[in-house]
Amino acid sequence: MDMDGDWSLPKPNTLFKVKRRTAGSSLSKASSIASTFSSLAAPVAAEAVQRARDLSTERDPEGFHQLRVAFRKLRALYWAYSPYIGEEATVQATAEFKRLAEVAGCTRDWDIAGDLLRTAQESGASVELLVAAAREKRAQAVAHSQTMIKSDDVEAFLNDALLRAQTTLQSSCSDRPIRAFAEKRVRLAQRTLQKRCKRAARSESADEEGLHDVRKAGKKLRYLLEFFQPIIKGGHGRTIKELTSVQNKLGQFNDIAASEALLRGASFNDVPTEVVQESLKWLEKQKCQRMRAASRRVRDISN
């Protein structure tokens, strides 16, 4: 997507230069749909800008991961408010959130792959050359991420995107209370997760795509519950805890699947083919084990 073509990038203003606060701390049942958007979006956007700024000079694996998480949270928030933000604006913004998350995630993916290869090495697989090659790929991914993610551009884009959304919301729902709307969007996210869980559970054999769909739907629901927990009926702490547990199991499977795909799609000129194949066989075995565990967990929650 041509970001300059779709979004005019103004000079960064002070919209997100705010003190870090707990998401949702300023929300109340009497808040409007429009006012809650800025309350929820501003801390996440501020974190994304700070993470992007830090990563211009640092190479911390957790920093890249948390930057990706921030963009994922913004995608979930835009989905929640999309009935009033509008389809076109939502699609444009979330496409850029996704692109930026993927750029940040490239480094994180090589970190995970490298950790798995070192585990394979400890278990007896002869993958020393591939471990070294993965470190080089990771260094290349860092350089690419740092080139593609400029903190000033990220801040300007986020300021522009969120200001557009806030302006639209203020004109369309500034006087509408948040509670019923938030509960409706959470219920919709819950139904989507339930459908995907049941679909995955009905599959006779483990299905990678189905488990991935469950994982995405679960993340969206968890983020929305974390955003809206102060204002929606009922305590959802237990649900968030359960979703986190499921996500951990699905995440373990996804790490293997993503690493396998990463190795299959990469070229290793200085690594013998048989070494790569040995690693892929090890990953395939691990993936099958984790897929079965993830499938059992999904069947449990679908029931």
Side-chain angles (χ1 to χ4, degrees):
M1 184 172 95
D2 181 359
M3 190 169 76
D4 291 329
D6 289 328
W7 301 91
S8 56
L9 299 183
K11 292 182 179 180
N13 57 38
T14 60
L15 180 62
F16 303 121
K17 297 184 185 301
V18 294
K19 292 182 180 180
R20 196 66 59 82
R21 61 183 182 274
T22 302
S25 61
S26 62
L27 302 188
S28 72
K29 299 170 186 176
S31 299
S32 71
I33 294 173
S35 65
T36 55
F37 176 81
S38 58
S39 296
L40 294 171
V44 183
E47 180 180 2
V49 171
Q50 187 59 53
R51 294 284 184 187
R53 187 172 292 121
D54 292 343
L55 291 173
S56 65
T57 57
E58 300 175 4
R59 299 189 172 195
D60 176 32
E62 186 63 18
F64 285 103
H65 173 61
Q66 291 303 324
L67 179 58
R68 177 163 61 176
V69 169
F71 287 126
R72 286 173 173 170
K73 288 182 176 180
L74 287 172
R75 288 178 66 194
L77 196 61
Y78 260 71
W79 176 86
Y81 286 85
S82 60
Y84 292 107
I85 293 176
E87 181 179 359
E88 182 178 357
T90 299
V91 169
Q92 287 182 331
T94 55
E96 184 63 8
F97 295 151
K98 182 179 180 180
R99 185 190 72 82
L100 290 167
E102 288 174 347
V103 173
C106 184
T107 295
R108 176 64 174 168
D109 290 343
W110 278 111
D111 283 323
I112 293 170
D115 288 342
L116 287 168
L117 289 172
R118 282 188 287 274
T119 300
Q121 187 176 6
E122 292 170 1
S123 68
S126 302
V127 296
E128 292 88 350
L129 289 174
L130 192 55
V131 170
R135 283 197 297 268
E136 178 60 29
K137 292 289 186 182
R138 197 267 183 185
Q140 293 171 7
V142 169
H144 175 69
S145 295
Q146 290 176 329
T147 299
M148 298 299 293
I149 299 177
K150 300 293 186 182
S151 59
D152 286 348
D153 288 346
V154 169
E155 184 171 13
F157 162 68
L158 288 175
N159 282 344
D160 188 39
L162 272 68
L163 278 171
R164 292 185 188 205
Q166 187 63 44
T167 300
T168 300
L169 291 168
Q170 287 174 341
S171 65
S172 61
C173 56
S174 61
D175 58 344
R176 299 188 181 186
I178 184 62
R179 186 171 184 172
F181 173 76
E183 290 176 344
K184 182 178 180 180
R185 298 307 282 171
V186 166
R187 285 195 300 270
L188 182 56
Q190 286 175 324
R191 286 198 295 270
T192 299
L193 175 60
Q194 289 167 353
K195 289 179 181 178
R196 292 185 178 183
C197 284
K198 289 179 179 179
R199 188 183 304 128
R202 284 197 301 266
S203 178
E204 294 182 1
S205 59
D207 174 28
E208 284 190 45
E209 185 176 353
L211 291 176
H212 186 55
D213 287 342
V214 170
R215 182 168 172 266
K216 290 190 295 184
K219 280 186 177 182
K220 179 189 288 184
L221 176 58
R222 179 163 63 88
Y223 292 151
L224 293 186
L225 287 174
E226 290 172 348
F227 279 131
F228 293 132
Q229 190 174 15
I231 53 176
I232 57 180
K233 292 180 181 179
H236 292 276
R238 182 177 178 180
T239 302
I240 293 172
K241 185 177 180 179
E242 180 75 6
L243 285 170
T244 301
S245 173
V246 174
Q247 289 298 311
N248 288 339
K249 190 67 68 175
L250 290 169
Q252 291 171 5
F253 159 69
N254 185 73
D255 287 348
I256 290 280
S259 295
E260 181 190 27
L262 201 62
L263 293 183
R264 290 189 185 279
S267 59
F268 302 97
N269 296 329
D270 298 326
V271 181
T273 302
E274 58 269 22
V275 172
V276 178
Q277 291 303 315
E278 181 183 5
S279 301
L280 289 172
K281 287 180 181 178
W282 184 87
L283 286 171
E284 181 69 26
K285 180 179 179 181
Q286 298 298 313
K287 184 176 75 171
C288 290
Q289 294 175 356
R290 294 192 184 186
M291 187 185 297
R292 286 193 293 270
S295 296
R296 286 194 299 269
R297 196 72 183 86
V298 169
R299 282 194 291 271
D300 288 342
I301 63 172
S302 69
N303 294 328

